[in-house]
Amino acid sequence: MPFISRNPYTEEVLQEYPSHDWDTVEARLAAARLAFLRWRETTYAERARVLHEIATALREDLETYATTITQEMGKPIKQARAEIEKCARGLDYFADNLERMLQPIEVETEAHKSYIAFQPLGVILAIMPWNFPFWQAVRFAAPAIAAGNVVVLKPAPNTPNCAVMLRDAFDQGGSEESLLYNLFVEVEMIPDIIRHPLISAVTFTGSTRAGREVARIAGESLKKCVLELGGSDAAIILPDADLDRAVAQCLFGRYQNTGQSCIAMKRFIVDSLVYDEFVERFVEQSRALRMGDPMDEETDIGPLARADLRENLHRQVHESIEMGAEVHLGGAIPEGRGYFYPPTVLTNISPAMPVWAEETFGPVAPIMPVNSRYEAVQVANATRYGLGASVFTENLRLGEDIARNRLEVGNAFVNHYVFSDPRLPFGGVRESGFGRELSVFGLREFVNIKTVYISE
């Protein structure tokens, strides 16, 4: 089965790539291993130079890369540009900080000298999704390569052009060896690739179901893995929240990338004292969003990436309506070409409804009232996921207490939607996965944390 690049706005096939056979896989893994043996010997300064050069390549041809994202998975062009710029910033961050992050940590013991050193592991397999086809890969690859590893990327089947373009950008880094290799392989081949002796570790971003399988196979092979899985992030709006700010943040937090984000706000939990006003404002501003051609600078909502994704999203909405959800906006598949789904706002929600109990990957916003902050936290935590959550309040001490001590997530934000930042660790708990990407913690996920003890 080929990897097919299809424009979700026009529904036209842009390009097809044949799947790699096992001989091609073996050759690329061998090349990646040889590249690692050379790359791990480079100085910190050389690694930093290469990462900066990759960032420069992305910025210099930003429009081409952004257009590739938009045409292949439907992200509005202004958001695609932001994705490429974020990749460049991430690469620059690790270039600027890798030496500090990799410095040995001296520990005072009875030895003449003892310290903790950080050594790269080898070739890391990255199984990545389609919704942020550049950033998801760079988010892992930048710290992994900074640490001295080499990356083998298995992209999503519907974003092969992005993978090819990303490889092109990495090859412009000026390294003597390639640091990122693409594998266009069928799902059935992935277990054997994880088990392959030339693969040292694996990172996966995607569904919880698939993450369980990756973790099982990696565990059987005694290989380190990092999993960034699904999310059903809650946004708590307390009665003292600045509603102008809260609605604006929630709007972007729900509809960015047409709602196709693991850390998008997916459950809105609003104190009953401000519930009616929040719903009214949220519906009004959702209605004002412009849905259309993702290459149009004025477009806010593009098409979903694939037809099957739209079908599943509509199933979740339709089943929830049958269970009693009230539709304030949207809720129907529009006629015409393109895999569009309109901004959809639902109330009269019960926890058993699919739009609340399942992860919704699209522009659907269920809103539920609560009567206290204690109930709000309880409802927010009543999910099998644990990726991110936000709380909106003018009482920063209370907001910090809820974020730090009450919300059972890996990323807790006060008065802001959840986002990833190269300076901060990113990841989840429970069925949202384990391990961390970004920051010094992400860089140290794929190193050998080695004790060195020297006695006279």
Side-chain angles (χ1 to χ4, degrees):
M1 180 178 176
F3 278 52
I4 300 175
S5 176
R6 184 188 301 273
N7 187 322
Y9 174 60
T10 65
E11 304 185 30
E12 297 173 345
V13 173
L14 303 175
Q15 197 161 350
E16 295 188 20
Y17 297 84
S19 298
H20 292 153
D21 59 21
W22 191 251
D23 287 342
T24 301
V25 171
E26 289 278 11
R28 295 202 175 184
L29 294 184
R33 176 65 183 180
L34 182 59
F36 162 70
L37 295 175
R38 294 170 176 166
W39 178 246
R40 70 178 181 181
E41 301 299 325
T42 54
T43 64
Y44 295 149
E46 172 63 8
R47 294 181 198 172
R49 183 195 65 77
V50 169
L51 291 175
H52 278 312
E53 287 294 328
I54 299 170
T56 297
L58 288 172
R59 288 192 176 103
E60 288 182 345
D61 209 3
L62 183 147
E63 202 63 28
T64 298
Y65 295 122
T67 298
T68 301
I69 293 173
T70 297
Q71 291 181 343
E72 192 161 60
M73 57 77 55
K75 189 190 304 287
I77 187 64
K78 56 190 176 185
Q79 295 179 24
R81 293 192 192 102
E83 179 175 344
I84 297 300
E85 177 55 36
K86 187 171 186 176
C87 290
R89 289 199 308 271
L91 288 156
D92 282 339
Y93 174 77
F94 285 102
D96 292 337
N97 291 279
L98 67 90
E99 184 170 359
R100 172 182 61 83
M101 293 176 175
L102 292 168
Q103 280 299 308
I105 300 174
E106 293 189 11
V107 180
E108 190 172 329
T109 68
E110 294 75 19
H112 168 69
K113 187 178 184 182
S114 55
Y115 58 91
I116 303 163
F118 305 102
Q119 288 187 319
L121 293 180
V123 178
I124 315 299
L125 172 63
I127 306 168
M128 293 288 110
W130 48 264
N131 54 332
F132 289 87
F134 276 71
W135 173 239
Q136 297 278 17
V138 169
R139 191 172 74 188
F140 148 75
I145 289 171
N149 299 291
V150 169
V151 174
V152 173
L153 171 64
K154 189 276 175 191
N158 60 311
T159 53
N161 281 344
C162 287
V164 170
M165 295 295 287
L166 184 63
R167 163 69 189 265
D168 173 72
F170 270 73
D171 283 349
Q172 293 181 57
S175 170
E176 293 184 2
E177 53 281 315
S178 293
L179 304 176
L180 185 147
Y181 297 80
N182 284 322
L183 288 182
F184 292 169
V185 295
E186 300 300 320
V187 171
E188 293 76 17
M189 298 176 68
I190 292 176
D192 287 335
I193 296 173
I194 295 174
R195 298 185 186 104
H196 197 285
L198 294 184
I199 293 294
S200 298
V202 59
T203 181
F204 172 81
T205 298
S207 70
T208 298
R209 178 188 57 79
R212 292 183 192 277
E213 188 67 9
V214 169
R216 182 186 67 80
I217 298 166
E220 290 174 351
S221 304
L222 296 180
K223 294 181 180 181
K224 176 71 177 290
C225 72
V226 169
L227 303 177
E228 197 270 279
L229 308 178
S232 187
D233 288 15
I236 296 174
I237 294 86
L238 297 183
D240 67 337
D242 177 345
L243 284 188
D244 287 340
R245 180 176 185 177
V247 171
Q249 289 284 318
C250 289
L251 211 72
F252 190 83
R254 173 63 276 194
Y255 296 127
Q256 181 192 21
N257 200 27
T258 314
Q260 299 170 113
S261 172
C262 54
I263 51 172
M265 293 175 174
K266 300 186 176 79
R267 295 177 299 137
F268 295 88
I269 302 165
V270 186
D271 191 280
S272 57
L273 293 176
V274 292
Y275 175 79
D276 289 340
E277 184 176 359
F278 179 88
V279 170
E280 181 180 355
R281 291 193 188 193
F282 193 89
V283 170
E284 179 184 0
Q285 294 183 38
S286 296
R287 184 178 286 113
L289 295 174
R290 180 172 176 178
M291 184 172 69
D293 183 354
M295 286 299 296
D296 188 329
E297 300 288 346
E298 301 302 316
T299 292
D300 301 301
I301 303 291
L304 298 185
R306 299 194 312 261
D308 62 304
L309 298 170
R310 181 173 67 171
E311 291 170 5
N312 185 60
L313 183 68
H314 188 58
R315 173 195 63 79
Q316 293 171 313
V317 171
H318 181 70
E319 290 180 3
S320 298
I321 293 171
E322 288 187 330
M323 295 171 70
E326 180 181 345
V327 182
H328 291 256
L329 185 69
I333 296 176
E335 296 181 359
R337 71 177 185 182
Y339 308 133
F340 288 100
Y341 203 83
T344 297
V345 182
L346 303 172
T347 61
N348 196 34
I349 300 297
S350 70
M353 292 178 180
V355 294
W356 195 267
E358 301 175 10
E359 179 178 27
T360 52
F361 228 61
V364 173
I367 309 176
M368 178 185 289
V370 292
N371 294 315
S372 70
R373 66 176 182 265
Y374 306 104
E375 183 184 0
V377 170
Q378 183 180 31
V379 171
N381 288 335
T383 173
R384 64 183 186 271
Y385 298 109
L387 190 54
S390 299
V391 56
F392 292 87
T393 175
E394 291 291 272
N395 185 336
L396 296 186
R397 180 176 296 180
L398 173 63
E400 182 177 359
D401 175 66
I402 292 173
R404 178 175 177 175
N405 301 314
R406 314 300 170 198
L407 294 173
E408 299 168 0
V409 295
N411 309 272
F413 283 45
V414 179
N415 294 328
H416 207 286
Y417 60 84
V418 176
F419 65 96
S420 57
D421 184 312
R423 299 165 294 185
L424 297 169
F426 181 84
V429 295
R430 296 187 291 191
E431 290 194 17
S432 289
F434 51 75
R436 291 298 179 264
E437 297 176 311
L438 301 175
S439 81
V440 66
F441 295 97
L443 181 141
R444 290 179 182 169
E445 286 285 2
F446 294 112
V447 296
N448 172 19
I449 302 175
K450 177 186 286 187
T451 293
V452 180
Y453 188 99
I454 304 169
S455 181
E456 287 185 305

